Amino acid sequence: MQTLRLCLGASLIVMASAGLALADDDVNAGQQIYQAQCAACHSDQPGVNGIGPSLAGLAGRKAGSLPGFHFTSALQGSGLAWDADTFIKFLADPTKLVPGTAMTVMVPDATGRANLFAYFATLKGAAETKPSGLAVQKISGPTQADLEGAAASTEAWLYASHDYAGSRFVNLDQISPANAKDLRPVCLYRSEQSASVQTSPLVYRGVMYLTFGRATVAIDAKSCRERWTYIWQPKAQEISPTNRGAAIKDGRLVRGTADGYLLAIDMADGSLLWSQPIASAAGGQYLSMPPLIYKDLVIIGSAGADFGAKNWIGAFKLETGEPVWKFNLVPDPGEPGANTWNNQESLKHGGGSLWTPLSLDAQAGIVYLPVGNPAPDFYGEIRPGANLYTDSLVALDAKSGKLLWHRQFIPHDVHDADLSQVSPLFETMINGNKHQVITVSGKDGLLRLLDRTTQQQFYEVPITTRENVDALPTVEGVHRCPGLLGGMEWNGPAYDPGSNTLFVPAVDWCGVFSRSPKDPPIMQGMHYYGGAVASDPRERSKGWLTALDASTGKERWKYASPTPLVAGVTATSGGVLFTGDLNNDFLVLDAKTGRVHYRFNTGGSIGGGVITYGLDGKQYVAATSGTVSAFFGGSGLPAVVIFAAESGTALAAMQPLDPDKAPVAEVDRFSDKAAHLQLRTADNHLPGPNEPVDFDTGPFITQGLSPTTGKPVRYYNFDVQGTTPAPVYVLYREGEDKPVPGQLDIIDTLPGETGYNDFRQVWKAWVPKDYVVNTITDSAALLQAGYKTEQTSVLRNMPVVPDKSRAKARLKGASADLQRAWYRGRVAKYFSFDEAPLSAAGSSVPVSPIYVTFNVNPGQPNGGPGSGFRTEPNSPQTHNVPATLPGDTGYSPLWLVAVYDNADWPSVHDLDTARKAKQLAAGVATVNCPIVFIGPEGR
């Protein structure tokens, strides 16, 4: 990265001047300084950059904003504009005005600085032009289907707590207790922005998105190389600068700011799409929580209870940021819940912050909120009553914001005991019955489990020290545990469905609570505590990570941390947990015992997200680090460190998977990324993402004519496919000529992914003689292991489909059952069509012609495929004619489509007549259409 540089020589030219006016002498003197000291690095010509940016047009320009030049984020985020005063102050001591800038050379003479600016003020900048070169490829995801399927994703981390349910669990097992010691840092990204680090990173398609204070950053999730940085310039007062993450959907990244703005940023290039002011410091509010995006709504709420805010949650349009609905977390007079505030004046500053992740039952459309403490925090006399909806679990209809139910856990809180977590959501067996449950926890140091349907509470267990919890603050002060910073903070529990275990981080830090002797005043931008907490000495603070039986709340093990645990905790199918502490250590623990298997000093405190994901066959772990907050302290600039196991060790440590128990890959053949002819629309009612497909119904099966006899033939339509086959890997043990018994073959792509094809070319791969079946379940891991592979000419037609799909027709009694293959540790279901042997023509799938016609010819209004194939009256019989049938020389189910004029439809009854019809278009598409029925004497 480059920054604004003034390259000064060994001596300075000190120019005498009577004043700072822009006289000709001043301009000439400034030009001489430029020539002697600056020209080596900076051009004075518009649009011509050198080592530093062009100084033409500098006057009035926003610092760090010249198109075509990459500035440091320190200068980009400075918020400066180059007027005379700013320029003169900057060159007097650049690092004082812009901490973190690489420009360290000073110009000590004020007159010389003024003359230099006088010269630059005469230089016009380049006219604005559209950027040249290749446009940045736009990003269209993640889609709603991606977000709803995030819990099963291993290559992405799509919400602050991984998925809507907040599971913080990833089905990856390359890193295990056996090889955790082999982890090594792969790369480090360090921001130049000074900010506290409580953010939760997101990962989508190999790119990681982070928020550090005002900065939003995109980096490569494998190499840490920066893609872009966007820095928000505050437009209003910032009360609290902490930001805990963003949300992503449909190519947009959405986040809140400390001055109350909601932003949408283009995920492809970091440009601002829109900004909306939705909260205000005038009301004591700011935005720190990670938003949640559901369908076309961005759901987010305000924080600021500690500053006397009256908070709310709202939904805003993803496209524009316009408000859609709002729900008051502290009611207005006359609203339900207002009667729990006996002093109606206290409603105006009643608190009830949102500052941590939400959770969502996407199937039911219910969003769950953890509402924080009332205000003033420690002075309850001014707000008698239960103070709804503070310290409550609130369930809202996600589309309308309508209140469905609530449960208050701490009526009339006077200890700042925020409810902070309402996740994970999961299903478990309790007393022999299945229950849809929600985990609820907070700074009161308790974890509860409730039925989401009946609201029945099954248990409530302590997760940290709880002493003197009911003692009310006094003017003199009373010692209590947890203190202000105790219990559960902004990162919640993780849930492992395989072992039915909750992994719960907590802070153990007590303090003395006191209240004010009289009613506290409201002062904008000032704390509205009504008292104080004197925390115990920092050296007496500690943390816990507790493993609980999720059904009973019974403790399985407990890890004692020497520091508070506020970092994210992630569980995996590899039997390890990832987290970190305030001693700067990234930690890997055994999920069964709590034993620490790996520890690494990242150079910064770990209080933000710790996540894992798999890319190109390798499992990565990312840990944020840096100063955590004024309360918790910490050290280091904002950073993220990415870890992976050393080459070869991850594969060696992999455990075999059982195909009968492994997760099934989710498939959508009708999305805009996968479909061509069979694109799902609101009108055609094609099955939704991962819904089973009955291919034995229209429009998936078509009846055409035999090329020789004109008798009926039937074929499936699996949509357009290219002529470049995808690979399928078949494993052989060294020295053996038959595939490994019981090993599923391995594919590398699903429909909609780059490189996918129904047609796959067989590759043989030889594994060691002692290879354990189904240990390798990912193509990238196989290739990375370096085993010998050999490409064959054999092609398979194997359309990958959603589980439980059906296509029962086959020739020659071939099996119509769904087959299985491995895809990135998941089981992909596919159909197999082997009506005729198929061999690659070099590296291509051979094609065979088919002649078709439509109800309306292409080129006419509503013509072409959308109008449907022309059929005989009251019959599914088309006059589509394939050139070959299975068994014929040159047969291929990948058909090269030719379209003939529907005026000739009555005369077409075989291949000869089809060829004689008027051809409107030839070679318009290659479509996978395996023939599965040939009528009597069809040849």
Side-chain angles (χ1 to χ4, degrees), residues 124-165:
K124 293 183 178 180
E128 290 191 11
T129 58
K130 292 184 178 180
S132 59
L134 294 175
V136 176
Q137 184 175 0
K138 287 296 180 183
I139 297 173
S140 59
T143 63
Q144 184 61 36
D146 291 334
L147 292 174
E148 293 185 19
S153 175
T154 57
E155 64 271 11
W157 189 285
L158 298 182
Y159 183 55
S161 49
H162 184 256
D163 49 74
Y164 281 152

Side-chain angles (χ1 to χ4, degrees), residues 1-4 53 61-67 69-76 192 226:
M1 292 184 291
Q2 300 291 333
T3 189
L4 178 63
R61 192 163 72 207
K62 179 182 172 183
S65 66
L66 182 65
F69 192 85
H70 190 187
F71 294 85
T72 60
S73 57
L75 201 60
Q76 283 181 303
E192 296 171 353
E226 184 179 317

Side-chain angles (χ1 to χ4, degrees), residues 358 711 734:
L358 310 175
K711 299 293 184 180
E734 292 175 348

Side-chain angles (χ1 to χ4, degrees), residues 569-654:
V569 176
T570 294
T572 72
S573 57
V576 292
L577 307 173
F578 304 116
T579 189
D581 63 26
L582 301 187
N583 274 347
N584 300 356
D585 285 340
F586 163 67
L587 303 170
V588 182
L589 293 87
D590 193 305
K592 290 184 178 179
T593 66
R595 175 188 173 191
V596 176
H597 288 290
Y598 180 73
R599 186 186 303 269
F600 182 88
N601 187 326
T602 63
S605 304
I606 301 179
V610 180
I611 69 172
T612 189
Y613 48 92
L615 295 173
D616 299 328
K618 178 177 284 191
Q619 183 177 355
Y620 295 88
V621 187
T624 56
S625 74
T627 300
V628 176
S629 71
F631 288 120
F632 282 99
S635 61
L637 285 171
V640 61
V641 185
I642 297 179
F643 298 84
E646 287 186 320
S647 179
T649 59
L651 184 61
M654 288 175 62

Side-chain angles (χ1 to χ4, degrees), residues 608-916:
V610 180
I611 69 172
T612 189
Y613 48 92
L615 295 173
D616 299 328
K618 178 177 284 191
Q619 183 177 355
Y620 295 88
V621 187
T624 56
S625 74
T627 300
V628 176
S629 71
F631 288 120
F632 282 99
S635 61
L637 285 171
V640 61
V641 185
I642 297 179
F643 298 84
E646 287 186 320
S647 179
T649 59
L651 184 61
M654 288 175 62
Q655 300 296 313
L657 296 182
D658 183 346
D660 295 330
K661 297 179 180 179
V664 176
E666 297 188 352
V667 175
D668 185 0
R669 293 187 66 93
F670 310 125
S671 70
D672 57 357
K673 297 175 184 175
H676 298 271
L677 302 176
Q678 298 171 350
L679 178 65
R680 183 190 304 108
T681 68
D683 300 323
N684 61 21
H685 304 297
L686 289 176
N690 207 42
E691 290 183 3
V693 183
D694 186 354
F695 288 94
D696 292 320
T697 61
F700 308 113
I701 192 162
T702 304
Q703 185 162 301
L705 300 173
S706 166
T708 53
T709 67
K711 299 293 184 180
V713 298
R714 295 194 191 106
Y715 55 87
Y716 287 117
N717 181 352
F718 286 104
D719 212 329
V720 172
Q721 304 295 324
T723 58
T724 301
V728 57
Y729 297 95
V730 182
L731 273 55
Y732 294 75
R733 289 193 176 98
E734 292 175 348
E736 298 182 8
D737 59 0
K738 293 183 178 180
V740 176
Q743 169 75 41
L744 300 189
D745 297 337
I746 302 171
I747 63 175
D748 64 338
T749 49
L750 297 180
E753 296 179 348
T754 302
Y756 174 82
N757 198 318
D758 286 350
F759 294 93
R760 295 188 175 269
Q761 192 163 5
V762 174
W763 286 72
K764 293 182 178 180
W766 281 271
V767 294
K769 291 182 179 180
D770 61 354
Y771 171 77
V772 178
V773 63
N774 291 320
T775 297
I776 302 177
T777 61
D778 181 272
S779 61
L782 172 67
L783 299 176
Q784 199 171 48
Y787 297 134
K788 177 186 175 183
T789 58
E790 177 186 308
Q791 185 181 31
T792 74
S793 62
V794 176
L795 290 176
R796 293 183 185 174
N797 187 2
M798 42 191 297
V800 177
V801 296
D803 192 19
K804 300 180 182 179
S805 295
R806 54 176 283 168
K808 294 296 185 183
R810 295 292 189 282
L811 286 178
K812 303 187 301 183
S815 173
D817 294 339
L818 278 173
Q819 308 297 308
R820 301 188 297 178
W822 287 117
Y823 168 79
R824 299 185 181 180
R826 289 175 279 170
V827 173
K829 300 294 185 75
Y830 68 91
F831 293 126
S832 179
F833 294 94
D834 54 0
E835 67 274 17
L838 197 59
S839 296
S843 296
S844 298
V845 182
V847 298
S848 181
I850 185 172
Y851 299 87
V852 305
T853 194
F854 302 103
N855 284 312
V856 181
N857 281 337
Q860 301 300 313
N862 301 314
S867 68
F869 293 127
R870 185 171 179 181
T871 61
E872 295 178 2
N874 302 314
S875 168
Q877 182 68 58
T878 71
H879 289 190
N880 298 348
V881 184
T884 56
L885 298 176
D888 293 346
T889 301
Y891 169 77
S892 173
L894 186 61
W895 290 355
L896 185 64
V897 177
V899 182
Y900 67 87
D901 193 333
N902 61 15
D904 294 327
W905 179 84
S907 65
V908 172
H909 53 78
D910 57 17
L911 182 60
D912 285 343
T913 51
R915 286 173 170 167
K916 292 175 182 177

